[in-house]
PDB file of all heavy atoms in Angstrom:
ATOM      1  N   LEU L  24     -11.148   0.280  17.729  1.00 98.00           N
ATOM      2  CA  LEU L  24     -12.196   1.254  17.438  1.00 98.00           C
ATOM      3  C   LEU L  24     -12.142   2.454  18.382  1.00 98.00           C
ATOM      4  O   LEU L  24     -13.056   3.295  18.361  1.00 98.00           O
ATOM      5  CB  LEU L  24     -13.611   0.592  17.459  1.00 98.00           C
ATOM      6  CG  LEU L  24     -13.882  -0.383  16.293  1.00 98.00           C
ATOM      7  CD1 LEU L  24     -15.211  -1.041  16.431  1.00 98.00           C
ATOM      8  CD2 LEU L  24     -13.649   0.314  14.919  1.00 98.00           C
ATOM      9  N   ARG L  50     -13.745  -9.110  10.545  1.00 96.00           N
ATOM     10  CA  ARG L  50     -14.817  -9.988  10.187  1.00 96.00           C
ATOM     11  C   ARG L  50     -14.336 -11.177   9.387  1.00 96.00           C
ATOM     12  O   ARG L  50     -14.760 -12.306   9.537  1.00 96.00           O
ATOM     13  CB  ARG L  50     -15.935  -9.205   9.405  1.00 96.00           C
ATOM     14  CG  ARG L  50     -17.098 -10.061   9.082  1.00 96.00           C
ATOM     15  CD  ARG L  50     -17.840 -10.508  10.279  1.00 96.00           C
ATOM     16  NE  ARG L  50     -18.940 -11.451  10.055  1.00 96.00           N
ATOM     17  CZ  ARG L  50     -18.813 -12.770  10.032  1.00 96.00           C
ATOM     18  NH1 ARG L  50     -17.626 -13.334  10.260  1.00 96.00           N
ATOM     19  NH2 ARG L  50     -19.865 -13.547   9.713  1.00 96.00           N
ATOM     20  N   GLY L 125      -7.749 -13.814  16.686  1.00 97.00           N
ATOM     21  CA  GLY L 125      -7.351 -13.720  18.089  1.00 97.00           C
ATOM     22  C   GLY L 125      -6.964 -12.361  18.507  1.00 97.00           C
ATOM     23  O   GLY L 125      -6.881 -12.056  19.626  1.00 97.00           O
ATOM     24  N   ASP L 139      -2.849   6.744  19.821  1.00 98.00           N
ATOM     25  CA  ASP L 139      -3.241   8.154  19.515  1.00 98.00           C
ATOM     26  C   ASP L 139      -1.935   8.881  19.200  1.00 98.00           C
ATOM     27  O   ASP L 139      -1.133   9.160  20.167  1.00 98.00           O
ATOM     28  CB  ASP L 139      -3.996   8.718  20.705  1.00 98.00           C
ATOM     29  CG  ASP L 139      -4.414  10.154  20.451  1.00 98.00           C
ATOM     30  OD1 ASP L 139      -3.920  10.761  19.497  1.00 98.00           O
ATOM     31  OD2 ASP L 139      -5.258  10.667  21.212  1.00 98.00           O
ATOM     32  N   ALA L 166     -14.587 -14.152  17.890  1.00 92.00           N
ATOM     33  CA  ALA L 166     -16.015 -14.120  17.913  1.00 92.00           C
ATOM     34  C   ALA L 166     -16.535 -15.578  17.700  1.00 92.00           C
ATOM     35  O   ALA L 166     -15.827 -16.407  17.332  1.00 92.00           O
ATOM     36  CB  ALA L 166     -16.567 -13.177  16.837  1.00 92.00           C
ATOM     37  N   VAL L 191     -21.732  18.565   4.934  1.00 97.00           N
ATOM     38  CA  VAL L 191     -22.795  19.486   5.235  1.00 97.00           C
ATOM     39  C   VAL L 191     -22.168  20.732   5.863  1.00 97.00           C
ATOM     40  O   VAL L 191     -21.063  20.680   6.325  1.00 97.00           O
ATOM     41  CB  VAL L 191     -23.849  18.954   6.217  1.00 97.00           C
ATOM     42  CG1 VAL L 191     -24.539  17.760   5.595  1.00 97.00           C
ATOM     43  CG2 VAL L 191     -23.201  18.540   7.566  1.00 97.00           C
ATOM     44  N   ARG L 201     -19.140  35.290   0.985  1.00 97.00           N
ATOM     45  CA  ARG L 201     -19.673  34.608  -0.190  1.00 97.00           C
ATOM     46  C   ARG L 201     -18.505  33.930  -1.033  1.00 97.00           C
ATOM     47  O   ARG L 201     -18.588  32.852  -1.445  1.00 97.00           O
ATOM     48  CB  ARG L 201     -20.533  35.489  -1.045  1.00 97.00           C
ATOM     49  CG  ARG L 201     -21.160  34.854  -2.239  1.00 97.00           C
ATOM     50  CD  ARG L 201     -21.962  33.576  -1.890  1.00 97.00           C
ATOM     51  NE  ARG L 201     -22.486  32.947  -3.059  1.00 97.00           N
ATOM     52  CZ  ARG L 201     -23.657  33.182  -3.653  1.00 97.00           C
ATOM     53  NH1 ARG L 201     -24.469  34.131  -3.138  1.00 97.00           N
ATOM     54  NH2 ARG L 201     -24.043  32.535  -4.647  1.00 97.00           N
ATOM     55  N   THR L 231     -11.723  32.635   2.197  1.00 97.00           N
ATOM     56  CA  THR L 231     -11.800  33.898   2.830  1.00 97.00           C
ATOM     57  C   THR L 231     -13.002  34.001   3.754  1.00 97.00           C
ATOM     58  O   THR L 231     -13.965  33.244   3.633  1.00 97.00           O
ATOM     59  CB  THR L 231     -11.911  35.011   1.796  1.00 97.00           C
ATOM     60  OG1 THR L 231     -13.047  34.813   0.963  1.00 97.00           O
ATOM     61  CG2 THR L 231     -10.659  35.150   1.016  1.00 97.00           C
ATOM     62  N   PRO L 251      -8.080  27.529   9.296  1.00 94.00           N
ATOM     63  CA  PRO L 251      -7.145  28.314  10.126  1.00 94.00           C
ATOM     64  C   PRO L 251      -6.866  29.639   9.366  1.00 94.00           C
ATOM     65  O   PRO L 251      -7.399  29.888   8.269  1.00 94.00           O
ATOM     66  CB  PRO L 251      -5.938  27.404  10.131  1.00 94.00           C
ATOM     67  CG  PRO L 251      -5.995  26.564   8.875  1.00 94.00           C
ATOM     68  CD  PRO L 251      -7.449  26.357   8.607  1.00 94.00           C
ATOM     69  N   ASP L 281     -14.037   7.831   6.486  1.00 98.00           N
ATOM     70  CA  ASP L 281     -13.161   6.698   6.181  1.00 98.00           C
ATOM     71  C   ASP L 281     -12.437   6.904   4.863  1.00 98.00           C
ATOM     72  O   ASP L 281     -11.224   6.547   4.771  1.00 98.00           O
ATOM     73  CB  ASP L 281     -13.999   5.387   6.148  1.00 98.00           C
ATOM     74  CG  ASP L 281     -14.526   4.932   7.577  1.00 98.00           C
ATOM     75  OD1 ASP L 281     -13.918   5.427   8.539  1.00 98.00           O
ATOM     76  OD2 ASP L 281     -15.451   4.154   7.610  1.00 98.00           O
TER      77      ASP L 281
END
Side-chain angles (χ1 to χ4, degrees):
L24 291 177
R50 184 65 186 91
D139 180 346
V191 296
R201 179 58 184 269
T231 54
D281 289 341

